[in-house]
Amino acid sequence: MDRKLVFELPNDLGCIEGAVEFVLLRCEFCEEVSRRLRFNFRVSFVEALANAMLYGNAGDPSKRVRVEVLMGRHALEARVIDQGSGFDPDRLPDPTAPEQLHRPCGRGIFLMRKLMDEVHFNDQGNAVTLVLRFQEREALLREASA
Amino acid sequence: MAFQVSREGDVLVVDVDGQLIVGNRQELKTRVLEELEKGDRKFLVDFTNTGYIDSSGLGVLVSLSKKIREQGGELRLSTLNEDLRTLFELTKLDTLFRIHDSRDEGLNGF
């Protein structure tokens, strides 16, 4: 059965680690999935939350970040929504280009796209959805353990 | 405490416990820059006990490496697990750092 988590965070970077653990503790998946959850999802989720707080909400402590997580049989989806005006995710430079390699920032969305199966932005650019798809075997194991 | 700092000869070794992410990167940066200011030039960041790094963590390593190089020093990395190594390869930062399989290997090469 699908399970949904919805919560809001203050615009505080110190809340990110706790939020990630809160979600992961509620994902009772098989061992096969857990490595991708533990690493790929964790890193991508941190990136999404940090981007929302630092860039979307521009560090404004009066703003909040909304999180919606849908744990389904075939996929885990996490939507992170900030209160900013949005941006165009297709106009970001490639952080692996030689002229970008020495920059200390600009790798967050690149990593999300590499580590997750799907990454979607809404038209406004203030909400990102991360999708981690389970392999068929993983889905069967998950169903069997339910 | 996310970082343990120790000294091996003339190398300052920083062990990252848990994670290096947006919430604690500044602590690492401040600590390393303090030691750079005091005269240290050889730095090894060891990831034996590190679960994950985000882009801010990668960014702080890039930034520190640049500052250390400007002072004639070097920042090396050691003991990255498979996942962490993948992050460096995806971002091509493996071409920017000397990455050693073990702490001892990192120390010996300095």
Side-chain angles (χ1 to χ4, degrees), chain A residues 34-101:
Chain A
S34 70
R35 184 171 174 229
R36 295 176 74 216
L37 259 184
R38 208 173 50 235
F39 193 79
N40 294 41
F41 176 74
R42 196 191 291 255
V43 171
S44 303
F45 193 35
V46 169
E47 298 295 351
L49 293 172
N51 279 351
M53 292 177 182
L54 287 172
Y55 304 113
N57 287 344
D60 183 343
S62 70
K63 291 187 173 173
R64 300 183 73 77
V65 174
R66 180 180 169 88
V67 178
E68 301 170 357
V69 181
L70 184 65
M71 291 172 260
R73 182 184 160 211
H74 296 289
L76 172 69
E77 292 189 22
R79 190 161 194 249
V80 176
I81 307 141
D82 61 58
Q83 296 180 306
S85 54
F87 76 112
D88 182 353
D90 294 324
R91 298 191 61 171
L92 298 172
D94 176 2
T96 64
E99 68 277 12
Q100 300 291 332
L101 212 52

Side-chain angles (χ1 to χ4, degrees), chain A:
Chain A
M1 196 167 76
D2 290 355
R3 192 171 167 195
K4 191 169 184 179
L5 283 177
V6 179
F7 58 92
E8 281 194 355
L9 295 172
N11 209 60
D12 178 355
L13 296 175
C15 294
I16 289 180
E17 208 176 322
V20 173
E21 295 309 318
F22 176 79
V23 171
L24 287 178
L25 279 173
R26 282 153 184 82
C27 296
E28 296 159 356
F29 298 112
C30 63
E31 187 61 30
E32 193 79 14
V33 175
S34 70
R35 184 171 174 229
R36 295 176 74 216
L37 259 184
R38 208 173 50 235
F39 193 79
N40 294 41
F41 176 74
R42 196 191 291 255
V43 171
S44 303
F45 193 35
V46 169
E47 298 295 351
L49 293 172
N51 279 351
M53 292 177 182
L54 287 172
Y55 304 113
N57 287 344
D60 183 343
S62 70
K63 291 187 173 173
R64 300 183 73 77
V65 174
R66 180 180 169 88
V67 178
E68 301 170 357
V69 181
L70 184 65
M71 291 172 260
R73 182 184 160 211
H74 296 289
L76 172 69
E77 292 189 22
R79 190 161 194 249
V80 176
I81 307 141
D82 61 58
Q83 296 180 306
S85 54
F87 76 112
D88 182 353
D90 294 324
R91 298 191 61 171
L92 298 172
D94 176 2
T96 64
E99 68 277 12
Q100 300 291 332
L101 212 52
H102 291 81
R103 291 189 66 213
C105 54
R107 297 179 179 87
I109 291 171
F110 173 86
L111 280 182
M112 281 188 235
R113 285 175 165 152
K114 291 286 184 186
L115 296 174
M116 299 301 290
D117 293 313
E118 295 173 30
V119 176
H120 306 289
F121 291 88
N122 66 350
D123 288 343
Q124 188 184 329
N126 73 328
V128 62
T129 303
L130 310 172
V131 182
L132 187 73
R133 295 210 174 280
F134 305 144
Q135 313 293 327
E136 188 58 29
R137 188 170 106 73
E138 296 167 352
L140 289 171
L141 284 169
R142 175 159 157 66
E143 189 174 39
S145 67

